[in-house]
Amino acid sequence: MSLVINKDFNKDKKIWNIELKGEIDIYTANKLKENLIEVVTTNPQDIILNASNLEYIDSTGLGVLIGTLKRLKQQEKDIYITNAKANVKKLFNITGLDKIFKVEG
């Protein structure tokens, strides 16, 4: 399966809304990394990752998210993960990343 990334910057709230569709694995993680680096470089603001259509994420994808979060933390910004499916939430819980990222809904 592939990965589709839709990103939009809300100028009023000064926040990035990024919707993820598909799977993040060793084959698609680079696409995610390129998009997130572009977002953080051009306008480092909080990111809301809508994971409602994210079917799967592996350790490669988690690594990309951690790297992005480290960059954002330097600007005192965060990544919020919303609407994650049970299997994705479980991965964040098992790895303890639910204490680092703001996992909501």
Side-chain angles (χ1 to χ4, degrees):
M1 187 168 216
S2 63
L3 175 66
V4 177
I5 301 169
N6 296 316
K7 56 187 188 254
D8 177 58
F9 184 69
N10 184 323
K11 291 178 184 165
D12 296 333
K13 295 181 180 177
K14 292 187 177 162
I15 197 160
W16 282 98
N17 291 301
I18 300 176
E19 183 183 4
L20 303 173
K21 293 180 187 175
E23 297 180 354
I24 302 171
D25 56 21
I26 193 162
Y27 303 106
T28 59
N30 239 13
K31 180 178 182 179
L32 178 64
K33 183 177 183 178
E34 290 168 3
N35 276 271
L36 291 178
I37 286 174
E38 177 188 337
V39 161
V40 172
T41 305
T42 56
N43 195 353
Q45 299 293 334
D46 286 340
I47 294 174
I48 295 178
L49 283 180
N50 181 344
S52 61
N53 292 311
L54 182 64
E55 302 297 327
Y56 174 80
I57 184 169
D58 71 3
S59 60
T60 315
L62 291 176
V64 169
L65 293 179
I66 292 166
T68 304
L69 184 62
K70 283 183 181 178
R71 288 174 175 237
L72 283 175
K73 286 291 188 184
Q74 293 172 352
Q75 310 289 327
E76 298 180 12
K77 303 297 178 190
D78 255 310
I79 294 178
Y80 299 84
I81 298 168
T82 62
N83 305 314
K85 294 184 179 190
N87 63 322
V88 173
K89 268 189 195 175
K90 185 177 180 180
L91 187 60
F92 277 90
N93 291 340
I94 289 171
T95 57
L97 292 175
D98 60 330
K99 293 167 182 60
I100 298 170
F101 293 94
K102 311 271 191 230
V103 182
E104 304 171 346

